Amino acid sequence: MALELNNEYQYGFHDSEENYAFKSTRGLTKEIVLSISKMKNEPKWMTEFRLKALEIFYKKPMPKWGNTGLLAEIDFENIFYYVKSSEKQEKNWEDVPKEIKNTFDRLGIPEAERKFLAGVSAQYESEVVYHSLREDLKKLGVLFLDMDSGLREHPEIVKKYFATIIPSEDNKFAALNSAVWSGGSFIYVPPNTNVEIPLQAYFRINTENMGQFERTLIIADEGSSVHYIEGCTAPTYSSDSLHSAVVELIALKNAKIRYTTIQNWSKNVYNLVTKRAVAHEGAVVEWLDGNMGSKLTMKYPSIYLVGERAHGEVVSVALASGSDQHQDAGAKIVHAAPNTTSVITSKSISRNGGRATYRGLLKVHKGAFNVKSTVKCDALMLDEKSRSDTYPTMEIDEKGVQIEHEATVSKIEDEKLFYLMSRGLSEEQAKLMIVNGFMEPFVKELPMEYAVELNRLIELEMEGAVG
Amino acid sequence: MILEILGEGIIKMTELLKIENLYVKIDEKEILHGLNLQINSGEVHAVMGRNGSGKSTFSNTLMGHPAYKISSGQISFDKKAINDLKPNDRAKLGLFLGFQYPLSIPGVTVANFLRQANKALKGDSVSPRDFRKLLYEKMDDLEIEHAFATRYVNDGFSGGEKKRMEILQMAMLEPRLAILDEPDSGLDIDSLKLVAESINKYKQKNPLVAILLVTHYQRILDYIKPDKVHVFIDGNIVESGGPELALELEKKGYDWLTGKEAIKA
């Protein structure tokens, strides 16, 4: 693929203010926002922040890029913007779609967990694990709370960092989240503290961590490190059609944050998420982002490398399966300081009419000398009806940067199938082996239990891929 | 079955592979024109011929490559027709093809690949631990470093490493008929010796295994003694003989055989 620098990017990441059309917003009013804030007993600055965000949401046009057709179908009037978890109407297990129950069966998900994943139970019974974890963290001085409690118990930290990385003006969905956010994680790691076990949203109980508008803020103070895992490989059933999270990561000097997500929302869900990190001097930020479910996902984890020698890495994986699914995913890295380095690895698989899009931006600011970056996008298409697009953009405003860019689109070659089948594997097994191999760079980075479950999930997805 | 013990030390070799009047085409172009050949269990056959004489078409057809269409004739294994069997079903009967150009499978380790192939062929009888032990033993035979077990199949391997890997696969999967398509091409003399020794070792351990060695150099036959040598020209066998035929070819080339009639069944 030819590398074009400084080309006009027709699918720009920023919404332009011009030509916007007012969208009816009857579903979301100032009164709703005020009552959310009141119910949570929030400080005044947060109430004001929400109200201001609401104004921005009203004014912001829908993105003019991505799958505009599907985006236009979102009915903002038809959305419940806040449901208190204790008042959440519990659904019946009988109402959960059969195919989701089948997948639970075949993945061997424990009973309690199934109900949680299916939205039948508001919490997952992992109290014991969570409590012992919390004790260990307390000794280290690590804060790991849901965002609402974080704001209540540590307002000074929250106020200092909240919305500093993703302002409400960023895009329409960030504005929406800012106005109505609820749940999500708040993590603060003190200086020179190494959190050895990954922190999982899964362990947090009695919170809305599967919420529609969750808000996550992670601060790793100087010289500290933390790995956070969100989501799960098992299918997550939600009757809410719009999920729009905002995630902000702040890695201070020489800190390290790794953020792992696997989303497998049911296929009625719009998953429109804004994720951004800032890496200060010598800091490292890694996003591992896996997208298996949803109707439409638009998600481009970003890293701003603002301090010298900062390093950013994004591994983005998407599986688009079926004509009712579009995974529009990618990464965005901004080099704003000298001697910064970055790696973007994107892997997408499309099958059975699915559509996978890689959308990426690599920007090098003037003055960011001696930048090194590698961008690698591989797309695997399993049949003729599926679709794969790549929109890599580079804006390089400094000389002497070292950038490698490679993009491949491949199919499963007959010769490879023959090779594997000559060793005794059936056509289905051979295809699965090639697909698993393709996903390996992502899977090998995951904690064991996630890796195993993801492989099994891919196996289920691949069933019937032959003939 | 194949083995009939007729008395102490006497083993009767029986028919393993039989090819009768085989016509094969690829993309409507006929490559093999009425081939006949029989290989008995325990025998080593060498098929020699120039590039483009149809040797690779022949070995791919035996393994069931979908692009090679049999227009008439029959391939039998254990006296049963296998014309319509898929490659994996042929592998389960005991056929193995060592590829001339092995393909890479990024993201799949050699150990995982072999374990899954082994499972597909023999069921899940070996424990992971025993399997690894066995794998390391066979790797030692071929002087392949153990680190290769965790490398991705043929990904970034040199030509010689790929060839040794094919023989490793043969040794692990234990076929009854090993079709080896130019296992010697691109090898230096040391690698060639290693590959040949491993083939011999496998043969000694499993005397009933038949080997079909496809090559265009006589050199490998200094190490692996064939029972029969066949010469391929224009998609057919035009001459068959003992090991001396290979030496004669080495001296005289192929020209003296050009235009000769195909050998009938």
Side-chain angles (χ1 to χ4, degrees):
Chain A
M1 168 164 280
L3 172 61
E4 282 176 51
L5 298 182
N6 295 322
N7 55 343
E8 268 286 301
Y9 186 33
Q10 56 176 324
Y11 299 91
F13 277 86
H14 293 285
D15 301 335
S16 111
E17 288 296 325
E18 52 198 25
N19 301 327
Y20 68 79
F22 265 103
K23 185 88 185 160
S24 168
T25 51
R26 267 188 307 170
L28 182 58
T29 60
K30 195 176 165 186
E31 286 65 43
I32 292 174
V33 172
L34 277 171
S35 63
I36 292 173
S37 194
K38 202 177 164 202
M39 257 183 288
K40 292 174 181 289
N41 209 4
E42 288 178 343
K44 198 168 163 236
W45 70 268
M46 184 57 82
T47 312
E48 279 164 8
F49 171 83
R50 287 180 183 273
L51 288 173
K52 200 174 158 222
L54 180 68
E55 289 305 314
I56 295 163
F57 169 70
Y58 285 155
K59 278 192 227 149
K60 276 268 176 191
M62 287 292 263
K64 301 266 188 297
W65 46 276
N67 195 326
T68 48
L70 277 180
L71 285 176
E73 286 174 20
I74 298 175
D75 183 1
F76 288 105
E77 286 176 49
N78 212 2
I79 290 170
F80 291 104
Y81 287 93
Y82 178 66
V83 183
K84 231 175 151 181
S85 88
S86 55
E87 289 164 11
K88 222 172 223 171
Q89 187 125 36
E90 294 222 338
K91 285 196 304 284
N92 286 320
W93 179 244
E94 286 70 42
D95 299 334
V96 178
K98 207 172 148 200
E99 61 268 27
I100 291 197
K101 287 183 185 168
N102 283 344
T103 311
F104 287 157
D105 271 343
R106 307 191 58 181
L107 287 173
I109 307 278
E111 202 64 37
E113 216 170 316
R114 289 181 196 206
K115 291 194 170 157
F116 172 73
L117 293 169
V120 172
S121 147
Q123 65 183 59
Y124 168 50
E125 311 290 338
S126 60
E127 215 161 339
V128 183
V129 186
Y130 179 60
H131 273 301
S132 67
L133 174 69
R134 213 166 40 176
E135 284 308 306
D136 291 346
L137 293 177
K138 210 186 233 171
K139 277 179 211 149
L140 293 171
V142 174
L143 308 175
F144 178 31
L145 300 157
D146 66 280
M147 195 63 226
D148 297 276
S149 308
L151 176 61
R152 239 181 351 259
E153 295 171 28
H154 304 278
E156 70 300 337
I157 305 179
V158 172
K159 195 173 179 189
K160 185 173 174 191
Y161 293 106
F162 193 90
T164 55
I165 313 299
I166 304 174
S168 308
E169 291 85 0
D170 194 77
N171 65 72
K172 191 173 184 72
F173 294 96
L176 175 62
N177 176 285
S178 299
V180 299
W181 71 267
S182 201
S185 289
F186 168 70
I187 296 172
Y188 171 78
V189 186
N192 305 315
T193 305
N194 177 19
V195 183
E196 275 167 14
I197 37 161
L199 301 182
Q200 306 188 40
Y202 223 46
F203 288 156
R204 278 192 354 243
I205 52 157
N206 212 4
T207 63
E208 294 135 297
N209 60 25
M210 292 292 178
Q212 280 183 275
F213 301 106
E214 51 182 62
R215 183 95 194 188
T216 288
L217 174 62
I218 300 176
I219 303 128
D221 214 325
E222 295 192 2
S224 70
S225 74
V226 64
H227 181 190
Y228 177 73
I229 302 177
E230 164 207 75
C232 53
T233 44
T236 313
Y237 180 65
S238 170
S239 51
D240 304 322
S241 60
L242 174 61
H243 289 258
S244 197
V246 165
V247 178
E248 297 174 284
L249 311 184
I250 295 147
L252 296 174
K253 190 177 172 184
N254 296 328
K256 182 178 175 182
I257 301 176
R258 170 179 276 207
Y259 192 108
T260 299
T261 315
I262 298 173
Q263 67 84 4
N264 193 7
W265 291 111
S266 44
K267 279 201 180 163
N268 56 323
V269 169
Y270 284 87
N271 186 42
L272 309 169
V273 174
T274 310
K275 290 186 164 171
R276 192 171 299 158
V278 59
H280 290 268
E281 185 185 335
V284 176
V285 171
E286 297 166 345
W287 294 103
L288 288 174
D289 199 66
N291 296 293
M292 316 289 289
S294 83
K295 177 201 283 191
L296 170 66
T297 286
M298 286 172 68
K299 187 172 14 151
Y300 323 95
S302 312
I303 305 172
Y304 285 69
L305 302 163
V306 299
E308 277 211 55
R309 296 183 320 282
H311 176 72
E313 201 153 334
V314 182
V315 183
S316 171
V317 163
L319 174 65
S321 188
S323 55
D324 52 352
Q325 191 169 48
H326 183 184
Q327 304 283 14
D328 196 315
K332 194 169 156 185
I333 291 187
V334 177
H335 290 264
N339 298 309
T340 46
T341 51
S342 64
V343 180
I344 297 174
T345 309
S346 162
K347 296 255 170 191
S348 75
I349 296 173
S350 47
R351 66 171 288 261
N352 201 19
R355 184 175 170 196
T357 302
Y358 169 77
R359 201 181 295 277
L361 173 68
L362 182 70
K363 187 171 174 68
V364 179
H365 280 289
K366 190 135 191 66
F369 305 103
N370 198 23
V371 159
K372 285 190 189 124
S373 179
T374 304
V375 180
K376 195 171 189 302
C377 310
D378 297 321
L380 184 64
M381 281 197 286
L382 296 188
D383 52 54
E384 298 298 326
K385 343 178 244 188
S386 299
R387 180 172 165 187
S388 172
D389 312 290
T390 303
Y391 304 111
T393 302
M394 307 217 173
E395 295 170 9
I396 314 296
D397 298 328
E398 187 51 77
K399 290 188 193 107
V401 299
Q402 194 180 316
I403 290 167
E404 285 174 45
H405 181 258
E406 195 187 310
T408 65
V409 178
S410 57
K411 292 179 177 149
I412 292 186
E413 301 153 61
D414 291 342
E415 285 302 316
K416 271 189 190 174
L417 279 182
F418 174 58
Y419 187 55
L420 295 179
M421 287 174 76
S422 79
R423 302 305 188 241
L425 302 179
S426 67
E427 190 177 345
E428 197 160 337
Q429 289 169 328
K431 282 189 174 170
L432 183 61
M433 183 177 268
I434 292 168
V435 167
N436 278 336
F438 181 81
M439 297 287 261
E440 174 68 8
F442 178 70
V443 174
K444 75 168 187 220
E445 295 295 332
L446 297 176
M448 181 67 99
E449 66 272 24
Y450 282 80
V452 169
E453 206 163 274
L454 187 63
N455 278 335
R456 272 148 82 206
L457 191 76
I458 292 168
E459 199 172 323
L460 291 183
E461 281 286 338
M462 287 289 295
E463 265 178 18
V466 175
Chain B
M1 266 309 283
I2 294 154
L3 176 61
E4 286 175 49
I5 310 246
L6 298 177
E8 202 174 323
I10 306 166
I11 294 170
K12 188 184 165 197
M13 301 296 184
T14 51
E15 176 192 314
L16 187 61
L17 179 78
K18 190 168 187 180
I19 295 152
E20 294 164 283
N21 210 20
L22 186 70
Y23 288 81
V24 172
K25 52 188 184 180
I26 178 166
D27 297 334
E28 299 306 309
K29 186 175 185 262
E30 194 176 272
I31 311 276
L32 302 184
H33 320 284
L35 193 84
N36 292 289
L37 179 68
Q38 181 174 331
I39 300 179
N40 297 326
S41 58
E43 289 179 350
V44 177
H45 287 231
V47 164
M48 303 187 70
R50 289 194 184 106
N51 282 333
S53 60
K55 301 189 308 290
S56 281
T57 298
F58 178 52
S59 43
N60 280 316
T61 304
L62 288 180
M63 201 66 227
H65 193 301
Y68 298 85
K69 308 277 186 219
I70 297 176
S71 38
S72 74
Q74 181 154 298
I75 307 171
S76 312
F77 194 77
D78 283 342
K79 300 196 172 164
K80 272 178 240 135
I82 59 166
N83 288 26
D84 299 328
L85 290 189
K86 289 187 168 170
N88 49 321
D89 293 323
R90 298 185 195 206
K92 280 173 191 157
L93 291 178
L95 280 87
F96 174 89
L97 174 61
F99 280 58
Q100 185 181 0
Y101 303 110
L103 291 105
S104 67
I105 316 290
V108 179
T109 63
V110 168
N112 181 24
F113 168 63
L114 279 171
R115 179 140 175 82
Q116 292 206 42
N118 195 65
K119 200 168 148 185
L121 292 176
K122 303 176 199 166
D124 206 2
S125 53
V126 197
S127 74
R129 204 174 152 187
D130 291 345
F131 185 81
R132 199 177 324 120
K133 201 178 148 224
L134 193 67
L135 179 61
Y136 286 167
E137 268 173 33
K138 309 280 182 197
M139 290 178 115
D140 291 342
D141 287 346
L142 281 152
E143 292 183 16
I144 296 171
E145 284 174 38
H146 293 184
F148 273 79
T150 52
R151 284 184 59 182
Y152 299 149
V153 178
N154 295 320
D155 200 25
F157 290 14
S158 71
E161 285 164 350
K162 286 183 188 171
K163 296 283 169 158
R164 272 190 273 167
M165 211 47 86
E166 291 296 288
I167 302 304
L168 175 71
Q169 291 178 35
M170 177 195 75
M172 289 300 291
L173 301 177
E174 302 183 295
R176 293 166 55 209
L177 171 65
I179 305 150
L180 304 175
D181 194 355
E182 303 203 11
D184 49 347
S185 63
L187 293 188
D188 59 36
I189 193 73
D190 293 334
S191 301
L192 178 74
K193 265 187 179 165
L194 272 176
V195 161
E197 276 165 19
S198 287
I199 295 170
N200 285 333
K201 192 167 177 183
Y202 178 62
K203 180 82 183 76
Q204 274 157 21
K205 270 194 192 161
N206 307 274
L208 287 175
V209 163
I211 290 170
L212 179 61
L213 194 60
V214 178
T215 178
H216 60 252
Y217 292 116
Q218 189 272 336
R219 203 173 53 164
I220 193 169
L221 302 180
D222 290 341
Y223 303 98
I224 301 171
K225 285 284 154 231
D227 299 299
K228 294 208 172 124
V229 174
H230 311 279
V231 183
F232 246 71
I233 289 178
D234 296 333
N236 234 321
I237 294 172
V238 296
E239 185 79 23
S240 290
E244 71 289 345
L245 180 58
L247 296 168
E248 202 175 344
L249 283 171
E250 181 78 356
K251 248 187 280 169
K252 293 159 69 176
Y254 290 99
D255 285 346
W256 61 286
L257 292 166
T258 310
K260 254 193 111 178
E261 285 279 305
I263 289 176
K264 299 289 175 213

